[in-house]
Amino acid sequence: MNMHEYQAKELLRQCGVPVPMGFPAFSATAAEFAMLRLPTATAVVKAQIHAGGRGKAGGVKVVKSLSECRAVAESLLGKPLITPQTDSKGKVVNRLYIEETANIAKEFYLALLLDRSLPAITVVASTQGGMDIEEVAAKTPDQIIKVAIDPSIGLQDFYLHRLSIALGLQGTVHAPQFHALLRQLYALFLQYDLSLLEINPLALVGENGDKLLVLDSKITSDDNATYRQQELQSLRDFAEEDARELEAAKFGLSYICLAGNIGCLVNGAGLAMATMDIVKHYGGQPSNFLDMGGGASAEQIKQAVRIVLQDQSVQAILINIFGGIVRCDIVADGLITTVKELGCQVPIVVRLEGTNVDAARDMLQQSGLRFTLAENMADGAQKVVAAANKAS
């Protein structure tokens, strides 16, 4: 689950992390009142959407008066903001964050993320923080510092010293602040089961550049820990999330909408990724990622097909099932019942392998419905791409 910046800042503030004063606003009038409450004569108006790159897209602006604050708020609220991390339609801005300005002496990048490949909590940092951090990572990767923290021993002092030296945050003024900040962030990361805690920029502010301040923050919590973090669910902005993804979760399905025209229904995350790869290899474009899980039931199959068909761009469906936990004949029976109930007219290519696969293939062939059977993944991918191309 993603949090808006103002929500992330409030969580950080509660944990003692230094952040600027700011207030959320849902109207232009509220934005004016928020600016009146700030200690600075100027303010930063920030669009609140779940996407990065807001600054370059015009979603972050400094204002010098109440009238300018209102004008900027009116120009953003209710309108789509297109950034490098949104699609061509952008995301509609429904809320703003009005924040005090700061006198920035130096910007850094700092993030904690869950690295499942190690496994570890990895700290990523750079002396080149700000809006161009992606460009820095692409062109000068040597300026990106990565330190993997062994969770069995936690955030030890040697990790802190290594990072502060790499960032140049040394001495009796900067080092203690940075060490305290990183300890607070690490504790928050563990307490709330986060998968990402990004600060960009972390800044040295003030006339002498002697104070660390978190100027922007992005927080993502791990959905696998939702049962332990019920209080965070109140922060969820359903308007920012795809309705199909939310609906799929109710049935134990992992669904992510993509931009193609070939629906994919697969059991197992690894197989789902491989299925999308092979579809693209043969010239197709998946419209979704959908993992039904190893023990997909007839009801899950029905709901999966229904959710995929809600995407009007879908012109063919590839069903790729390995019948290990679930028998192939049960899958076939569920597919037949589903297609009949939904009246599906989209061509469906089915690749089944595993327990009772021969019986399942016979059931599909004798159903009289629009099933095309595939011998293997490559055959299935080629057939579904051909079907989608023909339909278009």
Side-chain angles (χ1 to χ4, degrees):
M1 184 194 78
N2 293 320
M3 299 181 197
H4 286 296
E5 178 191 355
Y6 76 91
Q7 296 169 329
K9 290 273 186 71
E10 181 57 32
L11 203 62
L12 292 170
R13 184 182 289 109
Q14 292 174 8
C15 295
V17 175
V19 297
M21 181 183 290
F23 304 97
F26 298 84
S27 68
T29 300
E32 287 183 291
F33 279 108
M35 184 175 178
L36 280 171
R37 299 172 66 186
L38 298 178
T40 52
T42 57
V44 187
V45 180
K46 299 182 175 183
Q48 299 294 286
I49 60 170
H50 289 162
R54 294 171 300 160
K56 289 185 176 182
V60 178
K61 295 184 179 181
V62 177
V63 296
K64 300 179 180 179
S65 66
L66 291 176
S67 60
E68 188 179 0
C69 178
R70 184 179 187 87
V72 170
E74 289 176 341
S75 71
L76 291 172
L77 285 169
K79 302 186 178 60
L81 185 67
I82 302 172
T83 82
Q85 294 185 20
T86 68
D87 58 23
S88 58
K89 296 179 181 178
K91 290 193 172 183
V92 176
V93 179
N94 293 311
R95 55 189 80 187
L96 304 171
Y97 189 46
I98 315 301
E99 191 174 59
E100 67 175 306
T101 54
N103 183 16
I104 302 172
K106 172 67 177 174
E107 293 183 342
F108 303 89
Y109 177 87
L110 182 65
L112 281 74
L113 56 90
L114 185 62
D115 190 338
R116 291 180 171 87
S117 65
L118 293 177
I121 296 173
T122 297
V123 179
V124 182
S126 177
T127 57
Q128 306 298 311
M131 292 192 295
D132 296 320
I133 187 63
E134 289 86 0
E135 187 174 342
V136 171
K139 295 184 178 180
T140 54
D142 57 299
Q143 295 186 16
I144 304 295
I145 307 147
K146 295 183 179 180
V147 175
I149 300 171
D150 184 343
S152 66
I153 63 172
L155 185 62
Q156 299 295 318
D157 286 348
F158 66 88
Y159 290 127
L160 299 173
H161 290 299
R162 179 180 173 185
L163 286 161
S164 59
I165 291 170
L167 293 175
L169 292 170
Q170 299 167 267
T172 58
V173 175
H174 295 146
Q177 289 186 67
F178 179 71
H179 293 177
L181 171 69
L182 201 50
R183 286 192 183 99
Q184 290 167 325
L185 297 178
Y186 186 79
L188 185 149
F189 195 95
L190 294 179
Q191 179 182 351
Y192 290 102
D193 290 303
L194 304 184
S195 57
L196 172 68
L197 198 173
E198 181 184 59
I199 295 172
N200 185 33
L202 170 66
L204 285 172
V205 301
E207 294 183 3
N208 300 317
D210 57 359
K211 181 182 178 183
L212 277 174
L213 193 64
V214 173
L215 295 188
D216 196 0
S217 180
K218 177 181 180 180
I219 289 180
T220 303
S221 64
D222 189 343
D223 287 338
N224 292 315
T226 298
Y227 71 98
R228 283 201 301 256
Q229 303 293 344
Q230 291 298 320
E231 68 274 18
L232 293 184
Q233 296 309 302
S234 63
L235 305 180
R236 195 161 211 145
D237 183 358
F238 292 101
E240 285 276 333
E241 301 186 43
D242 189 292
R244 287 165 294 182
E245 294 179 14
L246 294 173
E247 188 176 7
K250 296 178 183 178
F251 299 99
L253 307 171
S254 296
Y255 174 92
I256 299 174
C257 184
L258 301 173
N261 64 346
I262 295 175
C264 299
L265 280 76
V266 191
N267 66 330
L271 186 58
M273 295 296 291
T275 300
M276 292 193 297
D277 285 344
I278 200 166
V279 166
K280 290 182 69 70
H281 176 74
Y282 286 106
Q285 294 295 329
S287 69
N288 65 273
F289 167 96
L290 196 155
D291 172 20
M292 294 189 293
S297 65
E299 179 62 21
Q300 285 179 309
I301 293 170
K302 175 183 175 181
Q303 298 301 334
V305 173
R306 183 180 61 81
I307 290 169
V308 167
L309 289 175
Q310 288 179 8
D311 186 345
Q312 298 300 314
S313 64
V314 171
Q315 295 177 317
I317 295 175
L318 173 59
I319 296 175
N320 188 11
I321 301 292
F322 177 76
I325 299 175
V326 60
R327 294 182 352 224
C328 290
D329 56 324
I330 292 177
V331 173
D333 184 58
L335 282 175
I336 293 168
T337 301
T338 296
V339 171
K340 287 180 178 178
E341 285 186 15
L342 298 179
C344 176
Q345 297 301 313
V346 174
I348 298 177
V349 178
V350 183
R351 182 259 181 169
L352 295 173
E353 193 61 65
T355 307
N356 291 355
V357 64
D358 292 334
R361 292 172 68 88
D362 289 341
M363 291 169 65
L364 293 174
Q365 287 176 327
Q366 295 170 16
S367 68
L369 300 172
R370 296 183 64 185
F371 294 117
T372 299
L373 300 184
E375 295 297 325
N376 49 52
M377 284 180 61
D379 184 41
Q382 293 177 75
K383 285 178 176 177
V384 78
V385 169
N389 289 340
K390 183 178 181 181
S392 61

